[in-house]
Amino acid sequence: MEQYVIKGGNPLVGEVEIAGAKNAALAILAAGIMTDDTVTIDNIPDVNDINVLLEAMRGIGANIHRVDRHTVEIKGNNVNDFSIDYDYIKKIRASYYLLGALLGKYKRAEVALPGGCNIGSRPIDQHLKGFRALGAEVEIEHGKIVAEAEKLRGTHMYFDVVSVGATINVMMAATMAEGTTILENVAKEPHVVDVANFLNSMGANIRGAGTDVIKIKGVNRLHGTEYSIIPDQIEAGTFMFAAAATRGDVTVLNVIPKHLEATAAKLVEIGCEVEEFDDAVRVVSKGNLKHTQVKTLPYPGFPTDMQPQMGVVLSLCEGTSTITESIFENRFKYLSELARMGAVNKVEGHSATIEGVKGFQGARVNALDLRAGAALCIAGLAAEGVTIIDDIVYIQRGYERFEEKMRSLGAVIEKVSSERELQKFMFRVS
Ligand code: EPZ
């Protein structure tokens, strides 16, 4: 099993290129099968989740041509199977975007019901509510969601919960419904807007993405397009917080600063200097950082996917900080791992109290999920001594060339897959 091994203590300094947004790319790739024409998508992050979704799409007959690491050509005219294997949904929940794409284009789809994960139960009732509102029959049969419709008709629907996935999935299905659909209380994340822009580049008629109300005029067919994915705000935020934790000076390149406003605001609040350029943001962390309060919220609030990274940095800030996690019910588990490195924290329900400490000691810890894993790497970079991170497969799901990018900023980090490689690293850094 592969591990990261990190020798902490080096401030991260330099520039790092940010990849395309994983959570935009997953939905956009799925939507690519909604036309029989060729769709070319670039600036896709080369991460495991993307590769699994492309395999799932091949599995139903889509022609997928990997032009290069970051560019894919999709031709959906050969799609001949509307049932997505359980194996794929078990590997990545976002395979459920094929539900909205297949239902929109073919008026039928079968996808295994996704289970929960390490951060919460992750229900999909709002997705199903939206499909039913569009006129689809949706049943759960033997662990599978079976959705079909004679035709989909425009509807006016209010989401009970602000949900990124449900907003995107129902928007996709409504794109090819008859008539007009109005969706209210929708998610406004940049990747929701990116999916709407992608569908519009294929001839869809979607207005209002990024606001509280999305209006969709259904079209009969969609045509081919060429499209480039937006930069990943969470990857960018992760490197920005790594700069803060290691008292470094890092510039993230190829970003949209507007998408990073909530993240940048918290860094300024704790005492970092943040400088914005057209497509870059620089974070400098010199003196002592000070405590603050954070509450995760749907965009444009502070992103839940940055919460673990925030927890690590706040553990190194003077004073007592609090984090309230309002999106997921179980996203503080990383704090127990962090406590094994010397952090002092207490979780009570949706809130965590964090007492600033002088520093962390390296230890062996577990990456419990994608963002918790990245956060524990940040802790290792700031720690005194060596940290070993197990289960890094989670991190590789969402971060392209993570250890290489960290090394380019001065981090002493290696990916090892044997005791022998681990010992070689320990010898080299001792
Ligand atoms: C997306 O998950 C992201 N994943 C998550 O990123 C991210 O944390 C989340 O949005 C919030 O921003 C992808 O885009 C692939 P939600 P999603 O539906 O769509 C509840 C990462 O690290 N809910 O916005 O599943 C749900 O339980 C991942 O990249 C319902 O109750 O999140 C949660 O409490 C982790 N019913 C809240 O809404 C539903 O039908 C927000 O979830 C759907 C969701």
Side-chain angles (χ1 to χ4, degrees), residues 72-212:
V72 163
E73 258 174 24
I74 298 169
K75 202 153 173 16
N77 63 317
N78 286 333
V79 167
N80 50 25
D81 181 353
F82 310 108
S83 173
I84 307 299
D85 277 357
Y86 174 66
D87 286 350
Y88 292 121
I89 199 96
K90 202 167 65 172
K91 285 178 188 158
I92 63 157
R93 301 170 45 79
S95 318
Y96 61 33
Y97 284 135
L98 289 167
L99 254 179
L102 289 168
L103 189 60
K105 173 87 183 327
Y106 299 102
K107 311 303 183 266
R108 51 198 280 234
E110 242 183 62
V111 175
L113 192 63
C117 74
N118 283 328
I119 61 177
S121 59
R122 316 283 300 269
I124 62 163
D125 57 299
Q126 298 299 303
H127 300 237
L128 308 188
K129 174 181 175 179
F131 297 147
R132 289 178 176 127
L134 288 166
E137 290 289 319
V138 183
E139 301 301 335
I140 308 292
E141 293 168 11
H142 306 294
K144 280 193 168 194
I145 304 158
V146 181
E148 49 193 344
E150 277 304 304
K151 66 169 83 167
L152 295 177
R153 279 181 302 280
T155 185
H156 187 159
M157 183 208 155
Y158 192 94
F159 285 103
D160 304 320
V161 178
V162 175
S163 158
V164 168
T167 299
I168 290 174
N169 231 347
V170 177
M171 178 172 72
M172 273 200 266
T175 300
M176 298 182 77
E178 278 185 15
T180 299
T181 294
I182 295 176
L183 302 177
E184 299 206 52
N185 197 29
V186 293
K188 299 182 274 193
E189 270 69 4
H191 37 294
V192 174
V193 178
D194 211 24
V195 177
N197 291 340
F198 170 71
L199 289 166
N200 283 339
S201 78
M202 293 168 75
N205 185 333
I206 302 171
R207 298 290 174 270
T211 73
D212 292 315

Side-chain angles (χ1 to χ4, degrees), residues 27-66:
I28 286 171
L29 288 168
I33 62 163
M34 295 180 77
T35 174
D36 290 341
D37 301 344
T38 299
V39 165
T40 304
I41 303 165
D42 70 20
N43 201 35
I44 297 171
D46 184 14
V47 296
N48 291 357
D49 272 11
I50 295 292
N51 300 326
V52 170
L53 179 66
L54 292 174
E55 276 316 301
M57 292 167 65
R58 283 197 180 92
I60 57 173
N63 292 318
I64 308 287
H65 170 48
R66 198 75 186 246

